[in-house]
Amino acid sequence: MYHSYPYPSKRSAVYAPAMALASTPLAAEAGRTVLEQGGNAIDAAIAMAAAQTVVEPTSNGLGSDLFTVFSFGGALYGFNGSGKSPASISPEALQKKGFDKIPPYGIEPVGVPGAVDAWRTVHEAFGALSFLEVLAPAIRYAKDGFVISPTVSALWARELRTRKHCTGPVFDAFWHTFAPEGRAPRPGEIFSNPDQAETLIAIAESKTEAFYRGTLAEKISEFSATFGGFLSAADLAAHQTLRVEPLSLDFEGTTVYELPPNGHGISVLMALAMLKPWKIDLDTPLGVHRTVEAVKRAMTDCARFVTDPDHMRVRCEDLLSDAFIRRRRDDIADTAKIVEYCHPLAPSTVYFAVGDTAGNMVSMIQSNYDGFGSGVVVPGTGISLNNRLLNFSLEAGHDNILAGGKRPYHTIIPGFLTKDGAPYAAFGVMGGFMQPQGHVQTLLRLLVSGANPQAALDAPRFMWTGEDRIACESTYAPEILDFLRASGHAVTIPGDELDMGRGQILVRENGVYCGGTEKRCDGYIAALY
């Protein structure tokens, strides 16, 4: 009954002078609490980031990476909080352990967690409250317990089913932490994580030093070494959050910003640039077809060329050049096509947003990558480690080939808009490789069709899943689905909405925010009036 909603319903957009938006009510409430205590949007966003590791562990944790783009005092900032691969890892090192591909679970696919350091870096530069005050809501949720929301419960159960084969000593702490009763918690039940509460306290009191160079770092590296992992104390101590310059594209009277590689936000700008001359209407069959084809090309090219910025052999300006975009647009025909990458030189995640009364707006996202990540928890800490190394390639000569001390191709992407040079909107759609597809579709709804933030999120979505395959929500008009099939697309209708992206949009006009939250999860807007 908790996951059944058989009748059509409608959410209204929310207006307020300040608000926090997240995929779970408790995370949004953590942001509002910090705003009420005198914190700014940066404080609130970090409070939400920390809270999300507790209340939505199915998508992120203390072993996550983080990316953020935000406006503060009218200026725009970008930070890359992704971690590198361990220095000692390589394709050959994996082969010596008996792996011919990067395993999805266990200690091997774990990269350096970057989120916790990103919290500190951004807070030190822009925060108003103390670090302990900012992390207090997360500590309280972990220590005293929190109420499980319906979508989190459903994802939790699905994750445990997926990982039922993950047994043995390396996984014992995971099952002890997240399935103490042998099952996922049900909606409305209270769940606590006292080990994570103590870890959050140590992080707050040491301003993350314990996590990267102190007692927590020792526990992480000792656990990794015990099970033959590659992550070491030296890898943790060497980690740094990067200040980056966002990439941009002028589109429909706004400037769209995405962070540069190693994330694939550039694919959003590439797809929008291809679609720009057509004034796409996603309520028409041709509009959906062309959008699918543009997304295919942008994502295929990025999968080939995007990697650690220090290892990029193709420049961002080449991927966004008028000549290359025109070549890719001209390749879009009236029928579906299985695309290969084109060389420009010729040849499971949480997203949240917050805006304060001063007009500061934050777009932030963090993730363990595949749901609970590696399925590995460091005993006694509540730290669930990521499996982000899965985004590397083992193909010889590939730009994104696995190597030690390298940031992988990254799926998590926060977005931002300015209008007439002023901050206008924070937006994002979480969900693995659905993310750039969700960005493109919600932006077309918002900027071309003129939908309000809530309607832009509510509209039906497609997800390209490779080759000529697309998953289309059942809420599409029948004539659109018929047209897509007739055009050569292999259309499927997913059984649920859990993989179709979960987004938030925050728009600011005339000194007031208008917010939309995701209907496909437990989306919530905590407004401050």
Side-chain angles (χ1 to χ4, degrees), residues 107 110 113 170 173 194-200 202-203 209-227 229 231-234 236 376-385:
I107 201 66
V110 176
V170 71
D195 288 343
Q196 189 174 1
E198 292 302 315
T199 292
L200 284 164
I203 288 170
E209 191 70 12
F211 193 93
Y212 290 96
R213 295 169 187 83
T215 55
L216 295 171
E218 292 172 5
K219 290 180 179 179
I220 295 169
S221 60
E222 287 173 3
F223 179 75
S224 176
T226 297
F227 293 99
L231 184 63
S232 71
L236 290 163
V376 169
V377 170
V378 181
T381 68
I383 299 172
S384 60
L385 295 173

Coordinates of all heavy atoms in Angstrom, one line a residue, residues 107 110 113 170 173 194-200 202-203 209-227 229 231-234 236 376-385:
I107 N 36.0 -4.7 -2.1 CA 37.0 -3.7 -1.8 C 37.7 -3.1 -3.0 O 38.3 -2.0 -3.0 CB 38.0 -4.2 -0.8 CG1 38.7 -3.0 0.0 CG2 39.0 -5.1 -1.4 CD1 37.8 -2.2 0.9
V110 N 36.8 0.5 -5.0 CA 36.7 1.7 -4.1 C 37.7 2.8 -4.5 O 38.9 2.5 -4.6 CB 36.9 1.3 -2.7 CG1 36.8 2.5 -1.7 CG2 35.8 0.3 -2.2
P113 N 37.2 8.6 -1.2 CA 35.9 9.4 -1.0 C 36.2 10.9 -1.0 O 37.1 11.4 -0.3 CB 35.4 9.0 0.4 CG 36.2 7.7 0.7 CD 37.5 7.8 0.0
V170 N 34.3 -9.5 4.2 CA 34.5 -8.2 3.7 C 33.1 -7.5 3.7 O 33.0 -6.2 3.8 CB 35.1 -8.1 2.3 CG1 34.2 -8.7 1.3 CG2 35.6 -6.7 2.0
A173 N 30.2 -6.2 7.8 CA 29.8 -4.9 8.4 C 28.6 -4.2 7.6 O 27.8 -3.5 8.2 CB 31.0 -3.9 8.5
P194 N 24.2 4.4 15.0 CA 25.0 5.0 16.0 C 26.5 5.1 15.6 O 27.2 6.0 16.0 CB 24.8 4.1 17.3 CG 24.2 2.8 16.7 CD 23.4 3.2 15.5
D195 N 27.0 4.1 14.9 CA 28.4 4.2 14.4 C 28.6 5.4 13.5 O 29.6 6.1 13.7 CB 28.7 2.9 13.7 CG 28.9 1.7 14.6 OD1 29.0 1.9 15.8 OD2 28.9 0.5 14.0
Q196 N 27.6 5.6 12.6 CA 27.8 6.8 11.8 C 27.7 8.1 12.5 O 28.3 9.1 12.2 CB 26.7 6.7 10.7 CG 26.9 7.8 9.6 CD 26.0 7.7 8.4 OE1 25.1 6.8 8.4 NE2 26.2 8.6 7.4
A197 N 26.8 8.1 13.6 CA 26.7 9.3 14.4 C 28.1 9.6 15.0 O 28.5 10.8 15.0 CB 25.7 9.1 15.5
E198 N 28.8 8.6 15.6 CA 30.1 8.9 16.2 C 31.1 9.4 15.1 O 31.9 10.2 15.4 CB 30.6 7.6 16.9 CG 29.8 7.2 18.1 CD 29.8 8.3 19.1 OE1 30.9 8.9 19.4 OE2 28.7 8.6 19.7
T199 N 31.0 8.8 13.9 CA 31.9 9.2 12.8 C 31.6 10.6 12.4 O 32.6 11.4 12.2 CB 31.7 8.3 11.6 OG1 32.2 7.0 12.0 CG2 32.5 8.8 10.4
L200 N 30.4 11.0 12.3 CA 30.0 12.4 12.0 C 30.5 13.4 13.0 O 31.0 14.5 12.7 CB 28.5 12.5 11.8 CG 28.0 12.0 10.5 CD1 26.4 11.8 10.6 CD2 28.3 12.9 9.3
A202 N 33.2 12.9 14.9 CA 34.6 13.0 14.7 C 34.9 13.9 13.5 O 35.9 14.7 13.6 CB 35.2 11.6 14.5
I203 N 34.2 13.8 12.5 CA 34.4 14.6 11.3 C 34.2 16.1 11.6 O 34.9 17.0 11.2 CB 33.4 14.2 10.1 CG1 33.9 12.8 9.6 CG2 33.4 15.2 9.0 CD1 32.9 12.2 8.6
E209 N 39.7 16.3 9.5 CA 41.0 15.8 9.6 C 41.0 14.3 10.0 O 41.9 13.5 9.5 CB 41.8 16.6 10.6 CG 43.3 16.3 10.6 CD 44.0 16.9 9.4 OE1 43.4 17.6 8.6 OE2 45.2 16.5 9.2
A210 N 40.1 13.9 10.9 CA 40.1 12.5 11.3 C 39.8 11.6 10.1 O 40.3 10.4 10.1 CB 39.0 12.3 12.4
F211 N 39.0 12.0 9.1 CA 38.6 11.2 8.0 C 39.8 11.0 7.0 O 39.9 9.9 6.4 CB 37.4 11.9 7.3 CG 36.7 11.0 6.3 CD1 35.6 10.2 6.7 CD2 37.2 10.9 5.0 CE1 35.0 9.4 5.8 CE2 36.5 10.1 4.1 CZ 35.4 9.3 4.5
Y212 N 40.6 12.0 6.8 CA 41.7 11.9 5.8 C 43.1 11.7 6.4 O 43.9 11.2 5.6 CB 41.6 13.2 4.9 CG 40.4 13.2 4.1 CD1 39.3 13.9 4.5 CD2 40.3 12.5 2.9 CE1 38.1 14.0 3.7 CE2 39.2 12.5 2.1 CZ 38.1 13.3 2.5 OH 37.0 13.3 1.7
R213 N 43.3 12.0 7.6 CA 44.6 11.8 8.2 C 44.7 11.3 9.6 O 45.7 11.1 10.2 CB 45.4 13.2 8.1 CG 45.6 13.7 6.7 CD 46.1 15.1 6.7 NE 46.2 15.6 5.3 CZ 45.1 16.1 4.7 NH1 43.9 16.2 5.3 NH2 45.2 16.5 3.4
G214 N 43.5 11.1 10.2 CA 43.5 10.7 11.6 C 42.9 9.3 11.8 O 43.1 8.3 11.0
T215 N 42.2 9.1 12.9 CA 41.7 7.8 13.3 C 40.8 7.1 12.3 O 40.9 5.9 12.1 CB 41.0 7.9 14.6 OG1 39.9 8.8 14.5 CG2 41.9 8.3 15.8
L216 N 39.9 7.8 11.6 CA 39.1 7.2 10.6 C 39.8 6.8 9.4 O 39.6 5.7 8.8 CB 38.0 8.2 10.3 CG 37.0 8.6 11.4 CD1 36.0 9.7 10.9 CD2 36.2 7.4 11.8
A217 N 40.8 7.6 9.0 CA 41.7 7.2 7.9 C 42.4 5.9 8.2 O 42.5 5.1 7.3 CB 42.6 8.4 7.6
E218 N 42.9 5.8 9.4 CA 43.6 4.6 9.8 C 42.6 3.4 9.7 O 43.0 2.3 9.2 CB 44.1 4.7 11.2 CG 45.2 5.7 11.3 CD 45.6 6.0 12.8 OE1 45.1 5.2 13.7 OE2 46.4 6.8 13.0
K219 N 41.4 3.5 10.2 CA 40.4 2.4 10.1 C 40.1 2.0 8.7 O 40.0 0.8 8.3 CB 39.2 2.8 10.9 CG 39.3 2.9 12.4 CD 38.0 3.2 13.1 CE 38.2 3.3 14.6 NZ 37.0 3.7 15.3
I220 N 39.9 3.0 7.8 CA 39.6 2.8 6.4 C 40.8 2.0 5.7 O 40.6 1.0 5.1 CB 39.3 4.1 5.6 CG1 38.1 4.7 6.2 CG2 39.2 3.8 4.1 CD1 37.8 6.2 5.7
S221 N 42.0 2.5 5.9 CA 43.2 1.9 5.2 C 43.5 0.5 5.8 O 43.8 -0.4 5.0 CB 44.4 2.8 5.3 OG 44.7 3.0 6.7
E222 N 43.3 0.3 7.1 CA 43.6 -1.0 7.7 C 42.6 -2.0 7.2 O 42.9 -3.1 6.9 CB 43.5 -0.9 9.2 CG 44.7 -0.2 9.8 CD 44.6 0.1 11.3 OE1 43.5 -0.4 11.9 OE2 45.5 0.7 11.9
F223 N 41.3 -1.6 7.1 CA 40.3 -2.5 6.6 C 40.6 -2.9 5.1 O 40.5 -4.0 4.7 CB 38.9 -1.8 6.7 CG 37.8 -2.7 6.2 CD1 37.3 -3.7 6.9 CD2 37.2 -2.4 5.0 CE1 36.3 -4.5 6.4 CE2 36.1 -3.1 4.5 CZ 35.7 -4.2 5.2
S224 N 40.9 -1.9 4.3 CA 41.3 -2.1 2.9 C 42.4 -3.1 2.8 O 42.4 -4.0 2.0 CB 41.6 -0.8 2.2 OG 42.0 -1.0 0.9
A225 N 43.5 -2.9 3.6 CA 44.6 -3.7 3.5 C 44.3 -5.2 4.0 O 44.8 -6.1 3.4 CB 45.7 -3.2 4.4
T226 N 43.4 -5.3 5.0 CA 43.1 -6.6 5.5 C 42.5 -7.5 4.4 O 42.7 -8.7 4.3 CB 42.1 -6.5 6.6 OG1 42.7 -5.8 7.7 CG2 41.6 -7.9 7.1
F227 N 41.7 -6.9 3.5 CA 41.1 -7.6 2.4 C 41.7 -7.4 1.0 O 41.1 -7.7 0.0 CB 39.6 -7.3 2.4 CG 38.9 -7.7 3.6 CD1 38.6 -6.9 4.7 CD2 38.5 -9.1 3.8 CE1 38.0 -7.3 5.8 CE2 37.9 -9.5 4.9 CZ 37.6 -8.6 6.0
G229 N 42.6 -4.7 -0.5 CA 42.2 -3.5 -1.3 C 43.4 -2.7 -1.7 O 44.5 -2.8 -1.2
L231 N 43.1 0.9 -1.6 CA 43.0 2.3 -1.0 C 43.8 2.3 0.3 O 43.7 1.4 1.1 CB 41.5 2.5 -0.6 CG 41.2 3.9 0.0 CD1 41.5 5.0 -1.0 CD2 39.7 4.0 0.4
S232 N 44.7 3.3 0.4 CA 45.6 3.4 1.5 C 45.5 4.7 2.2 O 44.9 5.7 1.7 CB 47.1 3.3 0.9 OG 47.4 4.5 0.2
A233 N 46.1 4.8 3.4 CA 46.2 6.1 4.1 C 46.8 7.2 3.3 O 46.4 8.3 3.4 CB 46.9 5.9 5.4
A234 N 47.8 6.9 2.5 CA 48.5 7.9 1.7 C 47.5 8.4 0.7 O 47.6 9.6 0.3 CB 49.7 7.3 1.0
L236 N 44.3 8.7 0.9 CA 43.3 9.6 1.7 C 44.0 10.9 2.0 O 43.4 12.0 1.8 CB 42.8 8.9 2.9 CG 41.9 7.7 2.7 CD1 41.8 6.9 4.0 CD2 40.5 8.2 2.3
V376 N 30.5 -2.3 0.8 CA 31.5 -2.5 1.9 C 31.3 -1.4 2.9 O 31.3 -0.2 2.5 CB 32.9 -2.5 1.3 CG1 33.9 -2.4 2.4 CG2 33.1 -3.8 0.5
V377 N 31.2 -1.7 4.1 CA 31.2 -0.7 5.2 C 32.4 -1.0 6.1 O 32.7 -2.1 6.5 CB 29.9 -0.8 6.0 CG1 29.9 0.0 7.3 CG2 28.7 -0.4 5.2
V378 N 33.1 0.1 6.5 CA 34.2 0.0 7.4 C 33.7 -0.3 8.8 O 32.9 0.5 9.3 CB 35.1 1.3 7.4 CG1 36.3 1.1 8.3 CG2 35.6 1.6 6.0
P379 N 34.0 -1.4 9.4 CA 33.4 -1.8 10.7 C 33.6 -0.7 11.8 O 34.6 -0.1 11.9 CB 34.2 -3.0 11.1 CG 34.7 -3.6 9.8 CD 35.0 -2.4 8.9
G380 N 32.4 -0.5 12.5 CA 32.4 0.4 13.6 C 32.4 1.9 13.2 O 32.5 2.7 14.1
T381 N 32.2 2.2 11.9 CA 32.2 3.6 11.5 C 31.0 4.1 10.8 O 30.7 5.3 10.7 CB 33.4 3.9 10.5 OG1 33.2 3.2 9.3 CG2 34.7 3.4 11.1
G382 N 30.2 3.1 10.2 CA 29.1 3.5 9.4 C 29.5 4.1 8.0 O 28.6 4.6 7.3
I383 N 30.7 4.0 7.7 CA 31.2 4.6 6.4 C 31.0 3.5 5.3 O 31.7 2.5 5.3 CB 32.7 4.9 6.5 CG1 33.0 6.0 7.5 CG2 33.2 5.4 5.1 CD1 34.4 6.3 7.8
S384 N 30.1 3.8 4.4 CA 29.9 2.9 3.3 C 30.7 3.5 2.1 O 30.6 4.6 1.8 CB 28.4 2.9 2.9 OG 27.9 4.1 2.5
L385 N 31.5 2.6 1.5 CA 32.5 3.0 0.5 C 31.9 2.9 -0.9 O 31.1 2.1 -1.2 CB 33.8 2.2 0.6 CG 34.5 2.4 1.9 CD1 35.7 1.4 2.0 CD2 35.1 3.8 2.1

